[in-house]
Amino acid sequence: MNDGTRTQKLEQVLAKAADGERLSKPEIIFLLGLSTERDLAALFRTARELRARHFSNKLFLYGFVYFSTWCRNDCAFCYYRKSNDLPHRYRKTDEEIVEAAVSLAESGVHLIDLTLGEDPFYRHRGNGIQSLAELVGKVKSQTGLPVMISPGVLSKRGLAQLAEAGADWYACYQETHNRQLFKSLRLNQSYDRRYLSKKQAVEQHLLIEEGILAGVGESLADIADSLNSMQELGAHQVRVMSFVPQAGSSMSAWPTPDRLKELKIIAVMRLLFPNRLIPASLDVDGVEGAQARINAGANVITSLIPPQLGLAGVAQSSKGIEEGHRTVRGILPILEGMNLTAATAEEYKAWVEKERASVSLMHSTGELGGAR
Ligand code: SAM
Ligand code: MD0
Ligand code: SF4
């Protein structure tokens, strides 16, 4: 395609997205394949305009508490896979977790993301899930903030217990919607079981976050398929993270992708899901990476971690944590420099409540299920 034809096509596709029309798979692939500075600037500008239309100049801030690094799984990309001897394994007590959550809440975050590996302790047939549910209840009542739980795959009953205990969100990332690729990333795990967990979470009236990894061998068509699955699932928050190679894992020598790929996916997500939440995760490139992701259309800063409590990140297990960079205080100057600001906790709560009410309404009118 010559420059003129491409520019014309780009203008058409961006105008279509700005008008709220659904983009076709070839159009999505076309956007993901853009490479000139001018084309990319136009894509990111449209993404920012759509964000501003739905969220004004306000971003949401998520606190991250990775409270157990024990895991029964062996994901090829993950530092904490069970066969890796290198990570420091810890399981924080409820008191320590609440302390971290309260300190995050005091610092000004809008949500607490309670994350763990598929730790057998919390899956024990006796009272494993019950202890997770109690923890959710404690964090929610002590912080007064919405809570997200990222525990891996759970049973329908387990999801119901967490919802009952006050969880607002269930995060569980498929990583890819190419079954073959999934198999090589999430070794010995069921694609369908993982996907079903998210559908079952919606049935429990939880909000859900779906996500993919960039740079793990996926094609542009695979990314377009993932975006389509996110739509089908009705995900309320959609994320992409660049793969970061991990010492001691089977993908330790696999290269990390050029960040442009993640940025383009963020922008296309904003075009397809203008009123959904899209993270700029500090877990890939630290606070240094925030500005580019926000410029591409992200509207949530995730992976804010309190220093001095011995808590880890995931893709970047230690980057910027002890230095206190991955904090509200570390991120606010960056937002200000971009003429953006943090929303209030009340504004975030209102967003969550509105979305949860609409999930409940869809259930009562039977709009979920069937085609979904
Ligand atoms: N254990 C739970 C699970 O797997 O669903 C929740 C926590 S898991 C550590 C959270 C996510 O971190 C993974 O789903 C994956 O998308 C991301 N992640 C893990 N290792 C990564 C890496 N090396 N690079 C980028 N993202 C990574
Ligand atoms: C993040 N490190 O937000 C966290 C994590 C799990 N729900 C989220 C990957 O980047
Ligand atoms: Fe375990 Fe989650 Fe890491 Fe997979 S991504 S090894 S499930 S902590």
Side-chain angles (χ1 to χ4, degrees):
M1 208 181 289
N2 68 38
D3 275 6
T5 325
R6 202 187 56 250
T7 304
Q8 210 177 10
K9 180 165 176 190
L10 178 57
E11 279 171 9
Q12 258 173 22
V13 176
L14 293 179
K16 203 171 155 184
D19 283 347
E21 277 182 61
R22 205 174 164 148
L23 301 187
S24 68
K25 185 168 170 181
E27 287 169 336
I28 293 171
I29 293 175
F30 165 75
L31 291 176
L32 293 171
L34 295 176
S35 60
T36 72
E37 224 166 278
R38 217 176 95 192
D39 290 352
L40 292 167
L43 171 67
F44 297 152
R45 196 183 320 116
T46 308
R48 289 194 300 274
E49 282 165 9
L50 281 167
R51 178 185 65 207
R53 198 183 293 170
H54 292 278
F55 297 96
S56 176
N57 63 341
K58 294 175 184 175
L59 270 74
F60 299 132
L61 309 176
Y62 284 11
F64 181 60
V65 185
Y66 193 13
F67 65 91
S68 171
T69 58
W70 290 97
C71 189
R72 64 175 182 176
N73 285 336
D74 221 16
C75 299
F77 52 84
C78 183
Y79 186 52
Y80 300 96
R81 67 198 308 241
K82 86 167 166 224
S83 60
N84 196 356
D85 294 332
L86 300 177
H88 165 56
R89 307 273 175 189
Y90 61 79
R91 182 185 301 120
K92 299 291 181 190
T93 64
D94 280 13
E95 290 66 36
E96 288 168 325
I97 300 165
V98 168
E99 182 195 348
V102 167
S103 128
L104 281 164
E106 284 169 353
S107 78
V109 305
H110 303 137
L111 166 136
I112 305 294
D113 177 5
L114 295 174
T115 292
L116 65 158
E118 290 199 358
D119 180 353
F121 175 85
Y122 286 105
R123 292 170 172 271
H124 189 266
R125 276 181 176 280
N127 59 356
I129 295 288
Q130 199 41 45
S131 27
L132 204 54
E134 280 164 22
L135 174 64
V136 166
K138 283 183 200 166
V139 168
K140 187 144 180 172
S141 64
Q142 298 285 315
T143 61
L145 294 179
V147 171
M148 171 182 273
I149 179 103
S150 311
V153 171
L154 284 184
S155 68
K156 197 171 168 175
R157 166 100 193 93
L159 290 164
Q161 280 172 272
L162 295 179
E164 215 168 290
D168 296 274
W169 286 89
Y170 173 66
C172 181
Y173 317 140
Q174 203 73 16
E175 325 299 358
T176 176
H177 297 77
N178 172 329
R179 286 170 180 271
Q180 214 46 43
L181 187 56
F182 178 94
K183 235 175 154 173
S184 65
L185 294 173
R186 288 197 158 264
L187 308 175
N188 300 316
Q189 296 171 50
S190 157
Y191 180 96
D192 290 312
R193 190 65 201 78
R194 195 165 174 89
Y195 200 70
L196 183 65
S197 259
K198 290 168 262 201
K199 291 193 169 181
Q200 292 178 330
V202 183
E203 286 165 15
Q204 297 304 325
H205 303 193
L206 288 161
L207 302 182
I208 52 169
E209 182 182 19
E210 174 61 304
I212 54 173
L213 287 175
V216 285
E218 74 289 356
S219 65
L220 297 189
D222 288 337
I223 299 170
D225 289 341
S226 282
L227 296 171
N228 188 45
S229 295
M230 289 169 168
Q231 199 138 31
E232 245 177 51
L233 209 49
H236 304 89
Q237 181 164 306
V238 289
R239 86 157 55 200
V240 52
M241 278 168 70
S242 296
F243 163 71
V244 181
Q246 302 298 323
S249 77
S250 57
M251 288 173 75
S252 60
W254 189 276
T256 193
D258 186 309
R259 293 301 180 262
L260 204 47
K261 186 170 203 185
E262 180 183 328
L263 298 179
K264 283 191 274 183
I265 299 173
I266 289 177
V268 173
M269 281 174 165
R270 177 58 66 206
L271 264 45
L272 300 178
F273 311 107
N275 62 359
R276 306 288 82 184
L277 307 187
I278 304 175
S281 173
L282 304 185
D283 207 25
V284 182
D285 295 318
V287 275
E288 301 89 321
Q291 181 162 346
R293 289 169 174 83
I294 298 168
N295 258 327
N299 72 326
V300 187
I301 305 292
T302 71
S303 220
L304 293 161
I305 303 178
Q308 273 113 48
L309 296 177
L311 291 163
V314 178
Q316 292 287 358
S317 53
S318 60
K319 188 178 172 76
I321 299 176
E322 285 318 293
E323 299 88 331
H325 295 161
R326 278 161 76 167
T327 53
V328 173
R329 211 201 265 233
I331 202 73
L332 285 182
I334 297 173
L335 299 189
E336 276 160 25
M338 302 174 76
N339 282 324
L340 295 165
T341 178
T344 63
E346 285 64 37
E347 285 166 330
Y348 180 68
K349 246 179 241 176
W351 193 92
V352 167
E353 274 160 26
K354 180 168 74 62
E355 292 298 325
R356 292 200 72 190
S358 112
V359 172
S360 304
L361 187 67
M362 274 195 283
H363 270 273
S364 60
T365 56
E367 269 184 56
L368 288 169
R372 281 167 177 266

